[in-house]
Amino acid sequence: MSVSHCLTGDKVAIDAFLDQFDVFLFDCDGVLWSGNHIFPDVPETLDMLRNRGKRLVFVTNNSTKSRQDYKAKFDKAGIQANVEEIFGSSYSAAIYIARILDLPADKKKVYILGESGIEQELASEGIKYCGGTDPNMRRDIEQEDFDALADGSALDPEVGVVLAGLDFHVNYLKLAYGLAYLQRGAVYLATNTDSTLPMSKSFFLGAGGVGAPLVTSFGKEPLSLGKPSQAMLDAVEAKVKMDRSRTCMIGDRLNTDIRFGIDGKLGGTLAVLTGVSKKEEFLADGAETVPAAYVEKLSDLLG
Ligand SMILES: O=C(O)[C@H](O)[C@H](O)COP(=O)(O)O
Ligand SMILES: [Mg+2]
């Protein structure tokens, strides 16, 4: 049975742990910040790693922002990061749809349940879309909508994919369009299916929580392109050359971040206890997902 080592307060153990890796993949929500609250000494900790010659890559399941949007957030947070180091689940989904998914020529449009981040990343891959932040979808459903969805006249015949992500403007109408496209054979994808979103030091509906009505009504789960899907690691590795044995995944959620690192056969995983998962979950006998090590908060790595 694997055991997770607590590094907090142990400078010797921290140095030994860090020396094993050249690349650190960082989860964002719950590790660097909770919403707009940047955790203490995060910029200093990341600077310390860069000063030790480590390469940093940011890998977030939050699909509401594009890589460019995240670059602006990093800048505002005083965290040095360039766009090539940032990967969101919207980017992973756009790469999958553009380069892996084989869609009929007349079915290449995507219906989005989600925010602008998904729209921007699909556009950057030349993928047409509808739904998403369309203001015409932010209204109550009317009888005419029921009738037009039922006979299909409301639907765009080019739509071949339903892509579900975190949507802060979800409503019955948007979900009804998603179900109608799925019922007509659209491929069902999700940027991610995280149950909750760490925000304001609490937990709110995550992408999985928002998309759950579609799963219940359609009766099938989407293919998720965010962590722990290895499609996301493949998308990262296509841009960032790395030796997986000298790469460490740092995250707050066992079933996405730590599972992502273990399944990807990375050299190590580090859990940070400022987000979703609690240490009791992975210290328990027979725990399914056990990080190699853990710290109370990221800045504990400063020693
Ligand atoms: O979509 C969600 O549910 C949240 O954005 C997700 O929990 C946060 O993503 P992270 O940066 O922790 O991968
Ligand atoms: Mg997280």
Side-chain angles (χ1 to χ4, degrees), residues 27-31 60-61 194 198 227 251-253 256-257 275-276:
D27 171 49
C28 298
D29 289 347
V31 173
T60 176
N61 270 6
D194 298 53
K227 298 169 289 184
D252 69 294
R253 192 188 284 259
T256 55
D257 306 314
V276 171

Side-chain angles (χ1 to χ4, degrees), residues 203-229:
F203 300 99
F204 296 84
L205 283 156
V210 165
L214 272 186
V215 175
T216 301
S217 301
F218 184 52
K220 289 187 188 130
E221 300 273 347
L223 171 67
S224 172
L225 282 314
K227 298 169 289 184
S229 163

Side-chain angles (χ1 to χ4, degrees), residues 2 12 17 39 54 58-59 70 150 163 181 206 212 271:
S2 53
V12 171
F17 185 81
F39 295 130
K54 310 301 182 182
F58 302 96
V59 186
Y70 266 110
L163 178 60
Y181 282 123

Side-chain angles (χ1 to χ4, degrees), residues 26-33 59-64 70 87 89 165-168 191-198 204-210 227 232 249 251-253 256-257 276:
F26 276 91
D27 171 49
C28 298
D29 289 347
V31 173
L32 306 180
W33 52 59
V59 186
T60 176
N61 270 6
N62 189 319
S63 59
T64 62
Y70 266 110
F87 293 83
S89 56
L166 179 54
D167 189 329
F168 294 118
T191 57
N192 62 303
T193 54
D194 298 53
S195 56
T196 54
L197 165 70
F204 296 84
L205 283 156
V210 165
K227 298 169 289 184
M232 189 149 188
M249 178 71 204
D252 69 294
R253 192 188 284 259
T256 55
D257 306 314
V276 171

Side-chain angles (χ1 to χ4, degrees), residues 90-101 121 125 127 235 239:
S90 292
Y91 174 77
S92 173
I95 294 295
Y96 180 82
I97 294 167
R99 305 182 195 178
I100 310 290
L101 199 56
E121 297 292 4
E125 289 294 320
I127 301 167
K239 292 258 185 170

